[in-house]
């Protein structure tokens, strides 16, 4: 994120320069693909944080683009599929998008609404204008250009458009679609079954017995929110998981990890983190939450599995306010049977079972993106062949988004300068 420092320093002293003026110079509102013409700049699919970050970086480098979004707003996941108590899990300095800091008045862990306000300011600052309600149904390389086809609103009877460009930036993200597992008997359950993407607040479930399936960051925070609203709360822990305190001795656990990794091996850092976690949280295995055999940082590196940052759930489990159950064997009409043979009745089941990429459904490409999970085959890769890029698929959260966006913009700008705008238009 420091690559633009010199340029920004010069621009800061230019009385005629402003980000909005730069945005107008790279206006995204020109007619696109109406007659099959090739766009001057890249097509960016997805107007979440990754897509916005790439758009801002390109704007500041004078490269036009087209930003396509299937919903009617930016950051639809944050706006429509998150619970109200959500805060950024990492300190704000690790969650900033390129070229713009969070306001100094924001707390260290901004709320959901504060992050959305930050994105709105980001859009205004860099003059980002997505094309909304453009659902991409296919994208493939024809040997010369990427052909991206969309349907307005995503319906089968909608208006179709085609965009052709030398570059395609896939920024639909790691969490495009909710994952709903097909558990034995789930359709026979007479209570309410919902995905955590539809959960907003525990106040809607007072007096109910609620089971949260999943113990990732979403599952533990939804359980905490339910318990805070005096809901009879239980949580399913299906697999081993690392739970770390969000802060250790007043320091961000993530920040401490990054600092330690600068001079120590991953295995040594893991040993330090687990000793400190034991002192703060105790033995989570005794609570029904066993730890994986390898440490949290190493596990993140080899599998992309993120450790859970505890903000109070462990204390609720210790006090008995949140019960922990093992994996589900099957659903019954009025309850759930677990693998240990126990059966419990519940009114509501919330599936905090995560999300998945939707890239395999529309991108006709197999070498760079995996058909199995919709991620690049190598999680550290952001550049494929023929001008294909991945933004926000590194499993490193918003920090990874910023790194990807900066790298992608640098690469496109280099190609843009080598290729030449006028030469490109004449193709």
């Amino acid at each position: 994120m420091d690559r633009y420092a010199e340029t920004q320093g010069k621009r800061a002293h230019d009385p005629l320069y402003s980000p909005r003026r730069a945005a107008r110079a790279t206006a995204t509102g020109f007619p696109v693909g109406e007659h099959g013409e090739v766009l001057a700049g890249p097509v960016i699919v997805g107007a979440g944080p990754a897509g916005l970050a790439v758009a801002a970086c390109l704007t500041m480098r004078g490269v036009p683009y087209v930003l396509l979004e299937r919903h009617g707003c930016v950051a639809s996941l944050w706006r429509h599929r998150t619970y109200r108590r959500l805060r950024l899990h990492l300190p704000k300095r690790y969650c900033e998008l390129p070229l713009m800091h969070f306001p100094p008045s924001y707390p260290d862990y901004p709320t959901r609404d504060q992050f959305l306000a930050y994105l709105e300011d980001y859009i205004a600052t860099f003059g980002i204008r997505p094309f909304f309600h453009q659902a991409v149904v296919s994208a493939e390389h024809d040997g010369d250009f990427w052909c991206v086809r969309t349907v307005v609103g995503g319906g089968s009877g909608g208006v179709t458009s085609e965009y052709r460009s030398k570059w395609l930036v896939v920024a639909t993200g790691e969490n495009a679609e909710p994952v709903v597992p097909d558990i034995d008997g789930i359709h026979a359950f007479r209570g309410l079954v919902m995905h955590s993407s539809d959960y907003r607040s525990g106040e809607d479930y007072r007096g109910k017995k609620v089971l949260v399936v999943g113990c990732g960051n979403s599952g533990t925070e939804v359980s905490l929110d339910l318990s805070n609203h005096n809901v009879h709360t239980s949580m399913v822990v299906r697999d081993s998981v690392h739970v770390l305190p969000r802060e250790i001795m007043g320091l961000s656990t993530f920040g401490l990890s990054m600092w330690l990794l600068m001079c120590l091996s991953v295995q040594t850092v893991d040993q330090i983190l687990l000793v400190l976690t034991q002192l703060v949280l105790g033995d989570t295995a005794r609570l029904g939450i066993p730890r994986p055999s390898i440490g949290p940082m190493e596990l993140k590196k080899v599998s992309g599995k993120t450790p859970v940052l505890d903000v109070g759930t462990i204390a609720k489990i210790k006090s008995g306010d949140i019960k922990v159950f093992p994996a589900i064997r099957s659903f019954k009409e009025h309850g759930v049977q677990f693998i240990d043979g126990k059966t419990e009745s519940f009114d509501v089941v919330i599936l905090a079972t995560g999300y998945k990429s939707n890239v395999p459904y529309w991108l006709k490409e197999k070498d760079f993106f995996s058909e199995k999970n919709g991620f690049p085959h190598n999680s550290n890769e952001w550049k494929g062949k023929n001008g294909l890029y991945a933004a926000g698929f590194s499993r490193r959260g918003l920090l990874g988004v910023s790194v990807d966006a900066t790298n992608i913009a640098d690469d496109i700008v280099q190609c843009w300068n080598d290729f030449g705008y006028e030469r490109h238009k004449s193709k």
Side-chain angles (χ1 to χ4, degrees):
M1 288 186 283
D2 295 330
R3 300 185 187 193
Y4 302 121
E6 182 178 353
T7 301
Q8 295 305 300
K10 293 177 181 178
R11 287 172 169 171
H13 296 88
D14 181 357
L16 299 179
Y17 176 82
S18 75
R20 295 192 186 192
R21 187 174 289 112
R24 287 195 294 272
T26 60
T28 62
F30 53 83
V32 289
E34 293 179 355
H35 306 290
E37 71 270 18
V38 177
L39 303 175
V43 173
I44 306 170
V45 181
L52 298 179
V54 174
C57 290
L58 291 173
T59 292
M60 300 306 286
R61 306 294 289 275
V63 177
Y65 58 85
V66 166
L67 177 57
L68 305 176
E69 169 56 45
R70 62 176 173 168
H71 296 288
C73 63
V74 301
S76 61
L77 173 66
W78 282 85
R79 196 176 302 275
H80 298 305
R81 292 191 288 174
T82 52
Y83 39 92
R84 293 173 196 160
R85 67 156 283 122
L86 178 64
R87 287 178 175 266
L88 295 182
H89 293 127
L90 304 182
K92 62 183 179 183
R93 65 183 179 276
Y94 297 111
C95 300
E96 293 173 337
L97 298 187
L99 310 172
M100 185 169 142
H101 297 299
F102 279 102
S105 60
Y106 276 23
D108 217 18
Y109 299 92
T111 65
R112 165 189 174 274
D113 290 341
Q114 288 172 327
F115 183 64
L116 286 171
Y118 168 76
L119 293 182
E120 292 295 338
D121 289 343
Y122 196 79
I123 293 167
T125 298
F126 297 104
I128 300 171
R129 291 181 288 173
F131 288 88
F132 292 119
H133 302 295
Q134 292 282 336
V136 175
V137 293
S138 70
E140 58 186 323
H141 199 264
D142 65 3
D144 294 310
F145 303 103
W146 286 99
C147 300
V148 181
R149 296 178 179 86
T150 68
V151 175
V152 176
S156 58
V159 178
T160 61
S161 297
E162 180 177 293
Y163 303 83
R164 301 177 68 221
S165 172
K166 182 176 176 62
W167 305 278
L168 173 62
V169 180
V170 178
T172 47
E174 304 171 5
N175 302 318
E177 305 289 344
V179 172
V180 179
D182 186 16
I183 305 173
D184 183 38
I186 192 169
H187 300 295
F189 180 62
R190 294 193 176 184
L192 173 65
V193 178
M194 59 186 291
H195 192 269
S196 58
S197 60
D198 295 318
Y199 176 86
R200 297 295 173 264
S201 171
E203 64 187 7
D204 300 324
Y205 305 97
R206 285 194 175 98
K208 304 286 188 180
K209 291 187 65 177
V210 180
L211 177 67
V212 179
V213 181
C215 62
N217 279 300
S218 292
T220 54
E221 288 201 28
V222 168
S223 298
L224 176 62
D225 188 58
L226 287 165
S227 181
N228 286 340
H229 284 88
N230 297 316
V231 177
H232 302 290
T233 308
S234 299
M235 181 175 69
V236 168
V237 178
R238 296 172 295 170
D239 303 306
S240 59
V241 61
H242 281 297
V243 180
L244 308 178
R246 186 174 67 177
E247 293 184 339
I248 297 175
M249 297 179 292
L251 300 174
S252 158
T253 301
F254 178 81
L256 176 63
S257 303
M258 294 299 100
W259 181 74
L260 291 173
L261 285 170
M262 290 190 295
C263 53
L264 299 173
S265 69
V266 172
Q267 291 78 12
T268 302
V269 172
D270 277 341
Q271 291 176 2
I272 294 172
L273 287 178
L274 291 176
V275 168
L276 294 174
T277 297
Q278 179 81 11
L279 294 174
V280 176
L281 299 181
D283 183 5
T284 59
R286 287 187 165 189
L287 304 176
I289 309 175
R291 292 190 181 278
S293 57
I294 62 176
M297 295 296 105
E298 186 176 3
L299 184 64
K300 173 70 174 175
K301 182 178 179 180
V302 300
S303 71
K305 190 174 182 179
T306 303
V308 173
L309 296 178
D310 178 61
V311 292
T313 306
I314 295 298
K316 287 282 189 175
I317 294 173
K318 289 179 179 178
S319 68
D321 292 324
I322 297 176
K323 295 180 180 179
V324 174
F325 287 95
I328 295 173
R329 174 172 292 165
S330 64
F331 276 84
K332 306 299 179 183
E333 282 192 7
H334 301 287
V336 171
Q337 184 180 46
F338 301 95
I339 59 172
D340 61 2
K342 294 180 180 178
T343 299
E344 190 84 13
S345 63
F346 295 100
D347 302 303
V348 181
V349 174
I350 300 174
L351 302 172
T353 44
Y355 296 84
K356 63 182 179 180
S357 164
N358 66 6
V359 173
Y361 300 124
W362 57 270
L363 181 62
K364 314 303 180 184
E365 192 275 343
K366 301 178 182 179
D367 295 333
F368 183 48
F369 279 92
S370 166
E371 287 186 283
K372 182 178 180 180
N373 63 12
F375 280 70
H377 290 290
N378 185 331
S379 62
N380 293 321
E381 288 181 321
W382 50 269
K383 180 181 179 181
K385 297 177 181 178
N386 302 316
L388 177 64
Y389 301 94
F393 288 88
S394 65
R395 303 181 192 269
R396 297 174 59 199
L398 291 168
L399 179 61
V401 162
S402 293
V403 173
D404 287 345
T406 302
N407 288 333
I408 290 168
D410 281 350
D411 199 71
I412 291 176
V413 167
Q414 181 63 52
C415 186
W416 168 276
N417 291 335
D418 292 344
F419 195 63
Y421 174 74
E422 291 301 324
R423 288 173 54 199
H424 181 66
K425 278 187 68 178
S426 65
K427 284 286 183 181

